[in-house]
Amino acid sequence: MSLFCLNSQSDAQQKKDNAETKILVAYFSCTGNTESVAKSISKATGGTLYRITPKKAYSSADLDWRDKNSRSSIEMNDDNSRPELGGEAIDMNDYDTVFIGYPIWWDLCPRPVNTFIEKYNLSGKTVIPFATSGGSSINNSVKQLKKLYPEVDWKEGRLFNRGSKQAEEWAKQIITK
Ligand SMILES: Cc1cc2nc3c(=O)[nH]c(=O)nc-3n(C[C@H](O)[C@H](O)[C@H](O)COP(=O)(O)O)c2cc1C
C-alpha cells in the first residue's frame, strides 16, 4: 500500500473521530471580547456554543475594578464566592470535550466560571480553557483551575487578545491531539 493510501485512510479516520467527539464551547463574557473568540472556536470545531449566564447580569458599575466595593471586586476578593447562574441548563452527558472561555479578572477566572464548573460534572472530560485579557496571561487562572478541580482532564489553555483567526486554527488543532 502506498504512503498516499495510508495518509488518506488516517485523514478519513481523523474526520470520523472529530465528528464523534461531542464538543461544547462554554464561555462567560461581559463586554463581548471572549464571546467573539468563543464564536470562532464554535465555528471552527462545530461545537455547541453555550453562554455561562449569571442570574444577575453585571452592570458597568459591577465591573469597576478600581472600586474595591464593586460587585466584581467583592466576589474576586472572596475565594468562596459562587454567583448564582441563570440561563438554560445543559446536559453535560452530551459532551466529552469542553472549551471554557472567560475574561481574566484579577489574574483569575471570574467566579461565575467556578459556579459553572461545580454545577456540572466535568470529571473525566477533556476541558480546554481559553481567555481574553487586558494584557495578563492565562497561566495563573489555569493553575488555579487545575488545583481546584484535579478530577478534570485539563488541556493547555490559550489567551487570545489578537483576533479570532488564530483561535480557529488552534481550536481545530487541539481537538485532534
Ligand atoms: C473586574 C475586572 C478585572 C479585570 N482584571 C484583569 C486582570 O487582572 N488582568 C488583565 O489583563 N485584564 C483584566 N481585566 C480586563 C479583561 O480581562 C478584558 O477586558 C477582557 O477581554 C474582557 O472580556 P469580555 O469582553 O469577554 O468580558 C479585568 C476586567 C474586569 C472587568
Side-chain angles (χ1 to χ4, degrees):
M1 192 187 286
S2 71
L3 187 61
F4 172 78
C5 275
L6 281 172
N7 276 344
S8 52
Q9 249 184 5
S10 67
D11 282 355
Q13 185 61 42
Q14 191 65 67
K15 281 201 183 115
K16 192 162 165 269
D17 288 351
N18 284 353
E20 284 167 6
T21 305
K22 288 167 280 167
I23 300 169
L24 180 70
V25 183
Y27 70 95
F28 175 76
S29 178
C30 289
T31 51
N33 298 342
T34 313
E35 177 171 64
S36 129
V37 176
K39 284 184 173 164
S40 297
I41 292 175
S42 158
K43 194 174 128 218
T45 60
T48 304
L49 194 62
Y50 179 79
R51 181 174 196 144
I52 300 172
T53 311
K55 190 157 191 178
K56 184 174 170 285
Y58 288 78
S59 66
S60 33
D62 290 339
L63 297 174
D64 187 353
W65 65 86
R66 286 155 303 201
D67 175 3
K68 62 180 177 12
N69 293 314
S70 73
R71 176 181 172 192
S72 57
S73 298
I74 291 168
E75 288 175 3
M76 296 312 288
N77 271 325
D78 176 5
D79 286 348
N80 296 317
S81 165
R82 295 293 182 268
E84 211 181 321
L85 298 184
E88 251 178 68
I90 36 169
D91 187 350
M92 205 44 90
N93 292 320
D94 290 346
Y95 304 98
D96 25 55
T97 297
V98 183
F99 285 88
I100 295 189
Y102 51 85
I104 302 294
W105 281 10
W106 295 107
D107 223 16
L108 294 172
C109 70
R111 304 293 184 205
V113 174
N114 296 89
T115 314
F116 174 81
I117 295 170
E118 291 169 22
K119 179 170 176 181
Y120 295 104
N121 183 8
L122 296 178
S123 67
K125 296 196 192 289
T126 300
V127 181
I128 310 161
F130 65 96
T132 65
S133 78
S136 296
S137 91
I138 193 175
N139 297 350
N140 196 56
S141 66
V142 174
K143 195 169 143 198
Q144 168 92 339
L145 289 169
K146 286 182 175 168
K147 194 168 127 199
L148 285 175
Y149 312 112
E151 70 283 5
V152 172
D153 176 14
W154 294 101
K155 288 271 184 273
E156 207 182 322
R158 244 324 263 262
L159 185 79
F160 293 101
N161 283 348
R162 282 197 196 102
S164 301
K165 187 82 201 141
Q166 261 184 322
E168 286 183 28
E169 279 154 26
W170 167 78
K172 275 191 228 159
Q173 206 203 347
I174 201 161
I175 57 169
T176 60
K177 271 189 188 163

